[in-house]
Amino acid sequence: DAKTTQPPSMDCAEGRAANLPCNHSTISGNEYVYWYRQIHSQGPQYIIHGLKNNETNEMASLIITEDRKSSTLILPHATLRDTAVYYCIVRDLNTGTASKLTFGTGTRLQVTL
Amino acid sequence: KAGVTQTPRYLIKTRGQQVTLSCSPISGHRSVSWYQQTPGQGLQFLFEYFSETQRNKGNFPGRFSGRQFSNSRSEMNVSTLELGDSALYLCASSVKQMNTEAFFGQGTRLTVV
């Protein structure tokens, strides 16, 4: 799986949009970009995933650059409950190891009042 | 519907002992994966079971083993416990082996003294 690079920490004011970047410059054509988050003392929670088109769900939006070498997770109106570590993961769903999630160090997002 | 259930939530064991952790996946989910989370190494994949067979394995010693039952419930066992095995052990379930979305349990916090 391709390696990802994320900033170690970010701050965001409550109510503002949180934009979390992820670099995956070695991503291959079959690899999807996934985002999970882990709130303190809980298991990771799936947020969103995409291949090359931008995606949106009730939690967030995922913007993937045209060359697919980077992406941004957007939480449109961050709340204190969004304070968590956010992990960007790339997965090839067409291989035998697709079930294995390779977590990096993630970005610790702190939402403040 | 009920989420992924892991038992026990907390456990204290002595070096040299063995331990068994349990994971009940979401009803209808047939794939169960296990992860170890430590402050130093982060989240690391242990193994994955699907239809009672181990499908993928991470880079852990043979002291770590697991199994899956016909009802998809899974157990993992760690023998000859070492201090470094102290960690949060997380279980994730998904509908099928290479499903896009994995749901994590709250984890079992194991402390080895």
Side-chain angles (χ1 to χ4, degrees):
Chain A
D1 288 346
K3 182 180 171 64
T4 61
T5 305
Q6 299 177 253
S9 63
M10 293 182 65
D11 292 329
C12 179
E14 190 176 33
R16 305 296 294 267
N19 297 284
L20 293 96
C22 179
N23 182 285
H24 31 78
S25 58
T26 59
I27 193 170
S28 68
N30 296 324
E31 290 180 311
Y32 285 72
V33 179
Y34 277 74
W35 284 82
Y36 279 78
R37 73 179 182 184
Q38 187 174 24
I39 296 170
H40 183 62
S41 299
Q42 296 184 22
Q45 177 190 22
Y46 165 82
I47 301 172
I48 198 168
H49 75 280
L51 183 62
K52 48 188 172 183
N53 297 323
N54 298 336
E55 303 287 344
T56 296
N57 63 21
E58 64 279 2
M59 287 183 69
S61 294
L62 173 61
I63 309 298
I64 302 174
T65 58
E66 193 168 343
D67 62 8
R68 303 209 324 121
K69 291 183 185 301
S70 66
S71 60
T72 301
L73 177 75
I74 301 172
L75 306 179
H77 306 286
T79 71
L80 296 177
R81 287 179 293 181
D82 292 322
T83 293
V85 178
Y86 287 77
Y87 296 98
C88 170
I89 299 166
V90 292
R91 293 173 72 191
D92 186 341
L93 296 183
N94 298 313
T95 69
T97 58
S99 54
K100 170 184 172 183
L101 294 173
T102 302
F103 289 85
T105 53
T107 295
R108 185 172 297 278
L109 175 68
Q110 180 69 52
V111 181
T112 57
L113 289 171
Chain B
K1 59 183 175 183
V4 178
T5 304
Q6 291 190 245
T7 57
R9 289 293 310 279
Y10 302 92
L11 203 51
I12 299 176
K13 289 287 189 178
T14 305
R15 270 183 306 174
Q17 286 187 311
Q18 75 164 14
V19 67
T20 299
L21 312 180
S22 178
C23 172
S24 293
I26 293 171
S27 178
H29 286 199
R30 296 173 61 195
S31 172
V32 174
S33 298
W34 289 89
Y35 292 80
Q36 181 197 64
Q37 185 171 29
T38 60
Q41 299 298 318
L43 272 156
Q44 292 188 289
F45 174 80
L46 279 156
F47 30 63
E48 185 226 359
Y49 286 86
F50 181 78
S51 293
E52 303 176 62
T53 303
Q54 188 180 92
R55 303 291 178 158
N56 282 294
K57 190 176 190 305
N59 296 322
F60 280 82
R63 298 186 298 107
F64 292 82
S65 63
R67 60 177 175 169
Q68 186 180 34
F69 302 95
S70 58
N71 62 358
S72 295
R73 189 177 72 84
S74 177
E75 289 181 346
M76 69 162 281
N77 183 278
V78 188
S79 62
T80 321
L81 284 166
E82 301 176 359
L83 296 179
D85 297 332
S86 294
L88 180 66
Y89 290 88
L90 291 156
C91 163
S93 80
S94 56
V95 173
K96 53 187 177 181
Q97 185 181 3
M98 289 183 277
N99 203 56
T100 59
E101 187 174 342
F103 295 84
F104 284 79
Q106 297 277 61
T108 294
R109 173 75 61 185
L110 171 67
T111 302
V112 181
V113 297

